[in-house]
Amino acid sequence: MACEVCLDGIDCQESLPQLHWVRDFVVVAACGSFANAGRELGKAGQSVSASVGLLEKHLEMKLVHRSRRAVNLTDAGRALLPSLQQALRIFSVTVGR
């Protein structure tokens, strides 16, 4: 017997991306660079870049164009960003942060 979540169109067997990967991507989109996002998040820009890379690998899609000074969202990144922002807002409100 399947649980209700599985019956509501969610594939319980499919793994979800790590929440910090999603958060790091959203902050990169807002800040425009890994270095600025890293400062905002209190960690190294390289760590933020790695998180976004892991999210891209997990989703099997390129989300950002990387250059030495800036990060620009791909079409896929722009399309996905509003949903990820909303998911983070909902999670934050739900846990009271």
Side-chain angles (χ1 to χ4, degrees):
M1 181 171 164
C3 65
E4 291 220 11
V5 171
C6 296
L7 294 175
D8 196 25
I10 296 172
D11 183 352
C12 296
Q13 300 300 313
E14 187 175 325
S15 69
L16 296 173
Q18 297 284 322
L19 185 60
H20 70 274
W21 300 346
V22 173
R23 181 210 51 212
D24 288 3
F25 168 69
V26 169
V27 174
V28 165
C31 291
S33 76
F34 294 118
N36 290 341
R39 280 190 285 280
E40 184 72 23
L41 294 164
K43 59 186 191 176
Q46 294 92 337
S47 177
V48 176
S49 178
S51 289
V52 173
L54 289 168
L55 180 61
E56 289 175 319
K57 184 177 179 180
H58 181 87
L59 297 175
E60 298 178 349
M61 64 177 68
K62 193 82 168 154
L63 300 175
V64 298
H65 295 292
R66 291 163 167 82
S67 72
R68 287 196 175 270
R69 301 221 184 271
V71 173
N72 296 300
L73 299 183
T74 63
D75 290 342
R78 279 189 297 279
L80 194 57
L81 181 61
S83 295
L84 296 180
Q85 289 169 321
Q86 181 180 16
L88 287 175
R89 275 192 299 275
I90 290 168
F91 183 80
S92 181
V93 167
T94 301
V95 300
R97 296 192 180 166

